[in-house]
């Protein structure tokens, strides 16, 4: 890959997330003094880290920064020969636009809203199951990961008994060490074969799930969506929903439990819930950085990003940028303009499933508030450990009691 010319010291990335205060101070110093530093990744490759909101929004909205990081020139995000997740179709803009148009029809806010009753029922069921466990309970494993797994399975038509195995594959795909290469490869192949079987089963017994609509496009429109495209779409939906939404539910409750006044207000007035969801999405302290590949030389403020460079958009820094928002470190569920955050990205690759994620978060918080009026952290907040991963950065466990 092209080696950018620089005299600046390249710091290792991801940063240590165990001390959230130190992480916030590191990002604050970078935003002020070195907003686009070069960083060294676990693979040894280098990338440019985007820390300010305006720069992050510019990168995500500029087609010169491609989401196709499977190119040979791109920095490897993790160790091993499978350094990046790849999609052989994503470089084809026409394919990408058609694929997004198709999925967007299934994820309109109106269509997603029709799932609220079933997702809320799942959330209440999970909360009841959690109540029967011995305390303390890890909120992530007992509830937060379970709800999106059940929610996406409801949407796609995945049988309940198979969801735990799917979750195991997602965990394996998220690992970043070179030593985990074989585990990732096995998980990827297993998910591929599972998705093929799911497609075959839906063809034999069609229904009204999202997969049925995707198959109809494949079968009725002269193969415009190939078998490989179908499988990759299923895997992308499962992986993206399971990891990202689960982390937001768990970390959102962690944040609320650390702000008892705001939590009490939310318990008393549920009309505050939509704003609380948006503020949680904005204020989450740890996000996985969004990678982009520079297809041309681009200037960001005083920094020139070379052609063929990889950039990483640090949303957890950008969304705490005092140049963009007043009192960025303050958690405020009544914040007036919360939806301009970058939790779901921005521009051409804005998350298609944003409405579904918001619905799951809303249903999850509602169930926890209803079932556990005395919900509390079982350990001091500083004892909750955090981590960066290729997918699903966040708390390792969130012990709770009631």
């Amino acid at each position: 890959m092209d080696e950018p010319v620089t005299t600046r010291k390249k710091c290792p990335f991801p940063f240590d997330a165990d001390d959230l205060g130190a992480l916030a101070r590191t990002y604050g110093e970078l935003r002020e003094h070195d907003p686009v530093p070069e960083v060294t990744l676990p693979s040894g490759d280098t990338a440019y880290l985007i820390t300010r909101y305006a720069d992050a929004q510019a990168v995500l909205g500029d087609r010169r920064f491609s989401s196709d990081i499977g190119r040979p020139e791109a920095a490897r995000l993790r160790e091993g020969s499978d350094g990046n997740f790849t999609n052989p179709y994503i470089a084809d803009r026409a394919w990408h636009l058609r694929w997004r148009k198709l999925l967007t029809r299934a994820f309109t806010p109106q269509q997603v809203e029709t799932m609220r009753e079933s997702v809320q029922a799942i959330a209440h069921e999970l909360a009841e199951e959690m109540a029967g466990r011995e305390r303390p309970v890890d909120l992530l494993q007992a509830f937060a990961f379970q709800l999106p797994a059940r929610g996406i399975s409801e949407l796609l038509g995945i049988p309940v008994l198979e969801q735990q195995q799917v979750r195991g594959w997602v965990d394996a795909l998220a690992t970043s060490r070179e030593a985990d290469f074989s585990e990732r490869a096995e998980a990827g192949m297993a998910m591929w074969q599972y998705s093929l079987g799911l497609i075959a089963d839906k063809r034999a017994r069609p229904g009204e799930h999202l997969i049925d609509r995707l198959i109809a496009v494949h079968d009725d429109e002269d193969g415009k969506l190939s078998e490989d495209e179908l499988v990759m779409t299923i895997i992308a939906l499962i992986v993206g929903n399971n990891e990202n939404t689960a982390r937001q539910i768990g970390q959102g409750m962690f944040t609320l439990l650390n702000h008892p006044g705001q939590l009490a207000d939310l318990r008393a007035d549920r009309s505050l819930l939509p704003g609380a969801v948006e503020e949680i999405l904005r204020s989450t302290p740890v996000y996985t950085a969004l990678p982009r590949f520079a297809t041309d030389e681009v200037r960001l403020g005083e920094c020139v990003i070379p052609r063929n460079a990889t950039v990483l958009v640090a949303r957890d820094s950008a969304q705490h940028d005092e140049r963009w928002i007043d009192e960025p470190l303050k958690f405020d569920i009544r914040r007036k303009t919360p939806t301009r955050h970058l939790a779901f990205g921005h521009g051409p690759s804005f998350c298609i499933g944003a409405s579904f994620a918001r619905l799951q978060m809303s249903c999850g918080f509602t169930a926890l508030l209803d079932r556990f009026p005395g919900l509390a952290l079982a350990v001091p907040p500083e004892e909750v450990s955090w981590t960066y991963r290729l997918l699903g950065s966040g708390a390792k466990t969130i012990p709770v009691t009631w």
Side-chain angles (χ1 to χ4, degrees), residues 44-187:
D45 292 344
T46 61
Y48 289 82
L49 187 67
I50 310 301
T51 65
R52 289 180 178 173
Y53 179 88
D55 291 339
Q57 191 178 54
V59 167
L60 295 175
D62 190 332
R63 292 192 180 276
R64 292 175 294 177
F65 289 101
S66 171
S67 57
D68 176 20
I69 58 167
R71 305 166 188 246
E73 305 94 340
R76 294 167 299 150
L77 303 183
R78 58 185 177 187
E79 301 173 71
S81 57
D82 66 333
N84 293 336
F85 288 115
T86 59
N87 179 338
Y89 300 98
I90 202 166
D92 183 341
R93 183 180 177 188
W95 178 90
H96 189 236
L97 289 173
R98 179 187 177 279
W99 182 78
R100 287 185 61 85
K101 182 179 180 181
L102 168 68
L103 289 186
T104 298
R105 294 194 201 114
F107 283 103
T108 64
Q110 295 79 9
Q111 287 186 306
V112 167
E113 189 61 31
T114 65
M115 295 193 63
R116 180 175 294 276
E117 184 176 347
S118 61
V119 174
Q120 190 65 73
I122 292 170
H124 282 303
E125 180 182 332
L126 289 171
E128 198 61 41
E129 291 175 3
M130 187 174 110
R133 298 193 180 198
E134 183 178 351
R135 291 169 279 182
V137 170
D138 178 10
L139 182 64
L140 289 176
Q141 296 303 324
F143 186 88
F145 280 119
Q146 300 296 326
L147 180 56
R150 293 272 297 273
I152 196 65
S153 296
E154 178 82 11
L155 182 66
L156 293 175
I158 297 174
V160 173
L161 295 178
E162 298 171 5
Q163 293 167 17
Q164 195 61 39
Q165 178 60 74
V166 172
R167 171 69 199 165
W169 293 329
V170 172
D171 279 342
L173 288 172
T175 60
S176 60
R177 297 174 301 168
E178 185 171 9
D180 298 318
F181 166 70
S182 61
E183 184 181 358
R184 290 195 299 266
E186 290 174 6

Side-chain angles (χ1 to χ4, degrees), residues 338-360:
T339 55
R340 291 165 52 212
H341 58 69
L342 304 174
F344 298 114
H346 174 73
S349 294
F350 182 82
C351 178
I352 293 171
S355 294
F356 190 49
R358 286 181 167 111
L359 181 141
Q360 292 174 98

Side-chain angles (χ1 to χ4, degrees), residues 280-307:
I280 286 167
L281 288 166
R282 182 204 68 82
S283 65
T284 292
V286 178
Y287 270 108
T288 296
L290 295 177
R292 293 293 186 266
F293 180 83
T295 60
D296 201 351
E297 182 178 283
V298 182
R299 176 176 288 278
L300 288 176
E302 298 179 358
C303 179
V304 176
I305 305 295
R307 181 175 179 270

